[in-house]
Amino acid sequence: MTPFDWAALVLFAVCWLGYEPALRLLSRRFGTLNQDMQLVRHIWMSAMVRREIRLVDSQLMGHSINTASFFASTNLLLIAAVAGILFGGEAALRGFAAVGAEAVPLPLLEGKLALILICLVRGLLDFIWSIRQLNYTLAVIGAAPETDSPERDMLGRAAGDLLNPALASFSQGVRAYYFALAAAAWLMGPMWLALGVVASFSLLIWRQEGSPAARAIRRVRAALESDSGNPAPPPQ
């Protein structure tokens, strides 16, 4: 590996590992989309336990599980494709390199494919954990009493505490796609890896902080806090 490859790889690691700390720092100063959605979901679950008919809540949860399952299935196919090249022997690697990847020694090409594979595997694990937590949340929804009881508020908070990390895991799985794409840019050279990871990191931060969706959810959060008096949950 050249010094440029090492520098780009270090930049990749810094951006990947530093994204969560950077997001927590931003959430303390300005608020982020993920943090605002935590409050929205808590209020949703608090309203859910007070409804007599929870058909809409069940349908929304089913949609979330189907979406996570779709991403997990797609991720598994991508993992199979990359692993097939990586472990398919020298002929598979040389055939892949001939398609358009940068001309590099085979061990370095294996390292580039391994980085893509690591990103995809991490994303798959996040999607699987997200699906499990969503199923736990469904069980809490099903267990919520139909009549008024002192346990309603506690169950609503518990459901919110399950739903938020479930969808946080889903977000982490989607984020792995961004970094997998940046890792794939390394196939064309270290400069492309550096550009790809900076672009992915910047795009993720912008979508959390300055995108139209983030601004809209910030207004929704303000309206919900004003209407219900619910305090914002602490950043996770």
Side-chain angles (χ1 to χ4, degrees):
M1 287 177 59
T2 68
F4 295 107
D5 286 301
W6 282 113
L9 194 57
V10 168
L11 178 63
F12 180 92
V14 168
C15 289
W16 192 2
L17 299 177
Y19 178 81
E20 287 289 349
L23 206 58
R24 285 195 293 268
L25 181 61
L26 281 174
S27 68
R28 293 191 185 99
R29 297 186 60 185
F30 309 108
T32 61
L33 179 59
N34 284 352
Q35 186 192 36
D36 294 337
M37 284 302 299
Q38 289 180 19
L39 178 68
V40 173
R41 296 186 196 112
H42 268 289
I43 294 178
W44 171 22
M45 290 294 102
S46 296
M48 176 274 300
V49 296
R50 299 184 180 280
R51 282 194 274 269
E52 294 183 3
I53 300 176
R54 302 185 182 111
L55 179 60
V56 173
D57 304 292
S58 301
Q59 289 177 334
L60 291 174
M61 288 297 300
H63 172 74
S64 297
I65 293 174
N66 288 337
T67 302
S69 300
F70 168 77
F71 274 96
S73 300
T74 304
N75 209 324
L76 194 58
L77 292 174
L78 292 172
I79 288 172
V82 175
I85 299 171
L86 181 59
F87 302 111
E90 184 176 339
L93 288 169
R94 291 191 182 280
F96 176 76
V99 174
E102 182 189 27
V104 295
L106 289 185
L108 179 54
L109 180 59
E110 290 175 337
K112 295 179 178 184
L113 290 171
L115 182 61
I116 300 172
L117 188 61
I118 290 171
C119 294
L120 293 173
V121 168
R122 170 59 194 274
L124 177 63
L125 294 176
D126 286 326
F127 288 130
I128 291 172
W129 182 225
S130 174
I131 293 169
R132 291 189 66 183
Q133 292 179 96
L134 288 170
N135 278 284
Y136 300 153
T137 308
L138 273 178
V140 174
I141 293 175
E146 296 183 2
T147 58
D148 193 14
S149 68
E151 290 78 19
R152 274 192 171 186
D153 291 336
M154 182 274 292
L155 286 171
R157 288 191 297 270
D161 290 340
L162 279 170
L163 183 58
N164 273 322
L167 293 179
S169 295
F170 177 81
S171 296
Q172 290 169 1
V174 173
R175 190 187 315 148
Y177 277 115
Y178 287 81
F179 284 98
L181 287 171
W186 194 15
L187 295 169
M188 296 184 291
M191 185 61 68
W192 288 102
L193 173 60
L195 290 174
V197 70
V198 169
S200 296
F201 185 88
S202 301
L203 181 60
L204 286 168
I205 292 294
W206 175 78
R207 287 181 173 176
Q208 283 288 325
E209 175 59 32
S211 66
R215 293 195 297 269
I217 293 298
R218 196 168 297 132
R219 294 195 298 270
V220 170
R221 171 181 175 168
L224 290 173
E225 286 180 319
S226 175
D227 182 60
S228 63
N230 285 276
Q236 296 182 355

